[in-house]
Amino acid sequence: MSSSDKNFSSTPNTTLAGTFTCAWCGLTVSAVAGDGTRRNHCPSCLHSQHVLDHAEGGTSRCRGRMSPISVAVLRTADWMVIHRCVRCDELTSNPVCADDNQLVLMRMAVRPLAQPPFPLEAFGNL
């Protein structure tokens, strides 16, 4: 069982078998993505809920909203959404689903290039 399966099964905002309501945008979401994989985040806004404690390996008592903060690309070329809990600051990663909002994913991917931690004028002196 993957971590996303565990995460979904203990999600408190599950309404019907196979659906949940996004805590951020209110969208009713199918727990099965279009490609048949299980999902634990909203495909529209990419937010999730903190229901799995990765450090302890069990169910989290936090229940805070998990905000998408970045994307990561694995060696296998699979993309992962990086979430941070707004309540306890725990970081998690979850696989990108085929029907996730591509615009939001690309915004997160290019944010470091659009907002570097140094002035771009420094390149003119190299």
Side-chain angles (χ1 to χ4, degrees), residues 51-126:
V51 295
L52 186 64
D53 187 344
H54 292 281
E56 300 295 325
T59 303
S60 174
R61 296 180 187 165
C62 177
R63 304 287 188 226
R65 183 175 42 84
M66 302 289 283
S67 291
I69 60 168
S70 186
V71 294
V73 181
L74 304 178
R75 290 183 182 141
T76 60
D78 294 329
W79 280 38
M80 303 290 283
V81 178
I82 309 301
H83 289 99
R84 176 181 286 135
C85 180
V86 299
R87 184 175 289 163
C88 72
D89 287 334
E90 181 174 338
L91 295 173
T92 63
S93 63
N94 295 290
V96 168
C97 297
D99 57 350
D100 284 346
N101 187 326
Q102 296 174 356
L103 180 59
V104 174
L105 289 167
M106 290 307 294
R107 275 192 211 150
M108 285 191 300
V110 300
R111 186 180 302 140
L113 298 173
Q115 299 171 343
F118 51 83
L120 291 176
E121 293 79 27
F123 284 117
N125 297 331
L126 296 180

